[in-house]
Amino acid sequence: MDAGCMREASDIIRRGGLVAFPTETVYGLGADAANPAAANNIYQAKGRPSDNPLIVHIGDISQLEQISEKLPKAAYRLAEAFWPGPLTVVVKKNGAIPRETTGGLDTVAVRFPSHPVALALIRESGCMIAAPSANLSGRPSPTSAAHVAEDLWGRVDMIIDGGDTRIGLESTIVDLTEEVPMILRPGYITEDMIRRAAGAAKTDPALDREDLHTPPKAPGMRYRHYAPRGDLKVVQGAAEQVIEEINQRAAADAARGLSVGIIATEESAHRYPTGRVMSLGRRDDEDAIAAGLYHVLREFDGENVQSIYSESFDTPRIGQAIMNRLLKAAGHQVIQV
Ligand code: TXA
Ligand code: MG
């Protein structure tokens, strides 16, 4: 983007306005993290409950020290290993970031993104930027400027188009306020990667479990993040059985007059004669599956598809993050074959 545009975006941030911008994960809806009124504008534009805290985006590691207290060694190790990049750390906050930004918590979530446009906006505005994903509350996170415009046109001061985001799923969130670093939201940076860098790691046991009485620690993971308009079910099992099961159900739904959508891979897409089939790419290309998931869910919403079946994607690295988002979208409706 040209310098004049970036100057205008930075002016908007400094004045307390809202700029949607690309990051390497998903698009963010940015405002000055130190300005309580600006943080409130974010909640209003998204229709988001104000007790769900925002991530503060920084452009330099020293800014982590400026806004936090009692940084543990793990924070430095993780910063060294993964910043700038798709990792968010939760640490004790000091008074520099107002309670409006952090939803009243005594901790703050901090991320140093690697996308050049995000970094330019942080540096040129001179502000740390509070940014949730730039979707309306309850919709999938946006992976293109068109998705942002779909949800937020007229509700924000500027949308910067940086093309499709590379990763397509939100950052990994790691809580560093207790002894062992705990993943609150899985993402591109996996538990193994965190363990290797910080010496230890675990995942919030309340994630993906609706039977536990303790809710997930990240407030945003407590809500049914996103429910497609259609009824989404995830089918798990051996490849051939999954295809057969989906085909039977798709045919039965179609016979009842329902429109059907199927989330498949390049290998299987041609095996589904009934319904609108969308492929996420090759089954072994988990980067493509992660990058395309939200787009496909938005497409089905746009077409008012009523009944959606998805294959399952337990891929080795980002599989945990992909399945976390997919199962949440499905309200944990799983068909085991
Ligand atoms: O990749 C990302 O992280 C994107 C881009 C824009 O950076 N941002 C993003 O923000 O996904 P958002 O607001 O959609 O998700 C932030 C999550 C929410 O689940 C929120 O509850 C959690 O982070 N969170 C924020 N501050 C927290 C804190 N102090 N303690 C625990 N969870 C926190
Ligand atoms: Mg979000």
Side-chain angles (χ1 to χ4, degrees):
M1 81 182 292
D2 67 54
C5 233
M6 186 49 80
R7 214 170 305 125
E8 193 183 334
S10 301
D11 282 344
I12 293 171
I13 294 287
R14 276 193 297 269
R15 284 200 310 265
L18 300 181
V19 175
F21 62 98
T23 81
E24 67 278 22
T25 57
V26 299
Y27 274 74
L29 173 55
D32 178 0
N35 178 342
N40 284 333
N41 289 340
I42 290 182
Y43 290 108
Q44 202 165 19
K46 267 187 76 106
R48 169 164 171 151
S50 60
D51 61 352
N52 190 1
L54 308 173
I55 294 176
V56 176
H57 295 70
I58 60 174
D60 193 289
I61 299 210
S62 67
Q63 290 176 316
L64 173 65
E65 292 168 332
Q66 275 172 45
I67 62 178
S68 64
E69 241 173 43
K70 297 190 216 132
L71 273 184
K73 267 207 202 78
Y76 292 98
R77 294 204 182 123
L78 293 175
E80 164 96 355
F82 305 116
W83 277 358
L87 179 77
T88 298
V89 297
V90 172
V91 293
K92 284 257 173 277
K93 76 190 274 257
N94 63 19
I97 300 294
R99 60 193 311 283
E100 283 77 3
T101 300
T102 52
L105 297 179
D106 59 1
T107 55
V108 60
V110 186
R111 175 156 114 77
F112 184 169
S114 64
H115 196 292
V117 172
L119 290 174
L121 188 62
I122 296 165
R123 288 171 185 164
E124 177 136 354
S125 66
C127 298
M128 289 179 246
I129 295 186
S133 50
N135 51 282
L136 281 177
S137 204
R139 298 267 292 150
S141 293
T143 56
S144 71
H147 293 165
V148 178
E150 240 169 61
D151 283 13
L152 296 177
W153 189 257
R155 292 169 166 257
V156 297
D157 300 298
M158 186 184 217
I159 299 173
I160 303 176
D161 187 348
D164 290 348
T165 58
R166 181 168 61 82
I167 294 176
L169 294 180
E170 307 86 344
S171 62
T172 305
I173 302 179
V174 188
D175 179 14
L176 299 181
T177 61
E178 281 164 42
E179 195 62 24
V180 175
M182 183 165 80
I183 294 181
L184 306 184
R185 180 174 71 183
Y188 187 84
I189 308 288
T190 63
E191 187 178 311
D192 273 350
M193 292 161 78
I194 306 260
R195 188 174 298 114
R196 254 177 275 139
K202 60 182 179 181
T203 295
D204 184 350
L207 271 193
D208 298 331
R209 297 275 301 271
E210 288 181 330
D211 52 332
L212 290 184
H213 292 297
T214 26
K217 192 161 176 185
M221 299 304 275
R222 291 172 198 162
Y223 310 117
R224 172 132 174 226
H225 210 82
Y226 155 70
R229 300 202 178 106
D231 181 43
L232 169 63
K233 295 191 173 80
V234 179
V235 185
Q236 285 182 329
E240 283 304 314
Q241 270 121 300
V242 167
I243 292 170
E244 196 175 311
E245 179 74 21
I246 291 179
N247 275 330
Q248 272 171 21
R249 287 177 179 261
D253 290 348
R256 286 165 49 213
L258 297 176
S259 57
V260 177
I262 295 169
I263 303 176
T265 52
E266 223 165 274
E267 290 88 339
S268 62
H270 68 284
R271 307 274 309 273
Y272 298 107
T274 310
R276 164 108 162 89
V277 183
M278 290 197 71
S279 165
L280 290 174
R282 280 204 339 262
R283 180 156 276 283
D284 64 359
D285 187 353
E286 53 181 331
D287 290 347
I289 293 172
L293 181 64
Y294 287 147
H295 175 73
V296 166
L297 291 170
R298 277 183 181 259
E299 283 292 302
F300 282 151
D301 268 359
E303 294 168 18
N304 284 310
V305 171
Q306 291 162 299
S307 177
I308 307 167
Y309 297 99
S310 177
E311 295 179 0
S312 183
F313 307 99
D314 290 303
T315 57
R317 249 179 334 113
I318 340 171
Q320 193 199 4
I322 296 170
M323 288 312 288
N324 168 264
R325 308 306 196 278
L326 186 60
L327 289 170
K328 263 169 93 84
H332 290 89
Q333 296 191 87
V334 175
I335 301 162
Q336 202 75 46
V337 294

